[in-house]
Amino acid sequence: ILFVGCYLTGHVYDDIAPKLTDQFHVYAVTRRGVGASDRPATGYDPQRRAADVLEVIGALRMEKPILVGNSCGGGILHTLGAEHPERLGGLVYLDAAEDPTLKAADYPRIPVDKANLPKQVSKPPQVVFPEAERRQLAQRPLDPAIRKAIVEDNNVRPAYARIRAPVLAIYRVRTLEQVLKDYPPENDEQLAALIQGYTSAQAMLEKWQTDLRTGVPNARIVELPGANLYMFLSNEADIIRELKAFAATLPR
């Protein structure tokens, strides 16, 4: 397994990685511009970042690793899955299989009465990063210019139809029951506005999943209610279970 991330270092996987070593050799990449890796002024587009990861795969003589990407790390998976599927065993997207080029007009038009949305009364528990990751963030904070470059250069439409590697995509979702608990409506107007907002968010999720399924019909899609963006921390046991189940389906 080779983990890649978005704005964080490979140490963000320190907790989950040892729990996978009973079945896998596990590695994590700290991308260019992040943590102790080099910080060049250029090279933050998915093509260059994918080439960096491909060099790691070659240097470590990995044979068909399962590549796991979180958040905007998914751009690297899109590129490698489309251009070098023969080098990979599979792709696992952790809240990373979405199209960053989509605009509001690309989703179903669901009006939301924002003026009547109820106030939030409870928040999900905060995820605590592993100690080494917290040290990295304190000692080597991400340069705002590099963060901007990562965001802007990641604005590329995924070529799902060209991906030929097996795919597992895990999405964080919120149930209507949880939304009603976190944002309790005080009247019918607030309830209607809340349902409108929830329906709109669900439409976005369905668009991402439909686009992925259209390009990769055999992709396995899993939804984790209540998961955090860093679901390998908030839902560690679920991610381990799904990773192992996915790996069991891959040719050896």
Side-chain angles (χ1 to χ4, degrees):
I1 291 178
L2 179 60
F3 284 105
V4 296
C6 187
Y7 309 122
L8 301 173
T9 81
H11 286 291
V12 78
Y13 301 107
D14 280 358
D15 289 345
I16 192 172
K19 295 165 187 171
L20 290 162
T21 56
D22 61 333
Q23 187 171 332
F24 306 98
H25 297 288
V26 185
Y27 303 85
V29 177
T30 297
R31 295 165 27 169
R32 66 169 58 204
V34 180
S37 289
D38 289 345
R39 301 187 176 198
T42 60
Y44 296 96
D45 59 287
Q47 196 77 32
R48 177 62 257 181
R49 289 177 292 149
D52 289 345
V53 172
L54 203 61
E55 289 179 20
V56 171
I57 291 172
L60 294 176
R61 298 181 181 179
M62 296 182 189
E63 294 185 8
K64 292 187 176 294
I66 298 172
L67 197 60
V68 182
N70 174 237
S71 187
C72 68
I76 294 174
L77 274 61
H78 299 330
T79 304
L80 290 177
E83 298 185 4
H84 299 281
E86 76 287 348
R87 300 286 299 276
L88 307 173
L91 304 174
V92 177
Y93 293 87
L94 303 182
D95 216 53
E98 61 182 73
D99 184 348
T101 69
L102 292 176
K103 304 292 190 296
D106 297 314
Y107 298 103
R109 299 186 69 83
I110 301 171
V112 179
D113 180 8
K114 295 182 179 179
N116 275 312
L117 285 173
K119 294 181 180 180
Q120 185 175 15
V121 299
S122 62
K123 296 181 180 180
Q126 273 199 321
V127 168
V128 178
F129 291 148
E131 181 182 350
E133 181 64 27
R134 297 199 301 272
R135 268 201 315 271
Q136 289 283 315
L137 293 174
Q139 296 171 1
R140 300 182 176 90
L142 185 64
D143 186 320
I146 290 177
R147 185 184 182 96
K148 183 171 183 287
I150 291 174
V151 171
E152 293 177 350
D153 290 349
N154 195 59
N155 197 34
V156 176
R157 187 177 297 276
Y160 287 135
R162 293 174 52 209
I163 292 177
R164 293 294 177 265
V167 168
L168 165 63
I170 306 179
Y171 294 89
R172 56 179 166 144
V173 297
R174 301 185 72 196
T175 64
L176 181 56
E177 180 182 15
Q178 185 62 52
V179 172
L180 289 169
K181 179 181 176 182
D182 294 342
Y183 298 83
E186 298 178 0
N187 51 53
D188 290 344
E189 289 77 13
Q190 288 190 358
L191 175 60
L194 190 68
I195 292 175
Q196 289 170 350
Y198 177 77
T199 303
S200 179
Q202 287 297 107
M204 293 177 66
L205 178 65
E206 288 170 11
K207 169 67 174 169
W208 298 339
Q209 295 181 356
T210 298
D211 287 352
L212 174 60
R213 279 199 181 101
T214 299
V216 189
N218 294 326
R220 172 167 168 71
I221 292 177
V222 175
E223 296 182 350
L224 291 182
N228 187 277
L229 171 62
Y230 307 108
M231 53 179 62
F232 52 90
L233 293 171
S234 68
N235 291 65
E236 181 186 83
D238 295 316
I239 300 305
I240 291 173
R241 181 190 67 244
E242 294 298 336
L243 261 173
K244 290 187 173 182
F246 177 64
T249 68
L250 303 177
R252 297 183 180 272

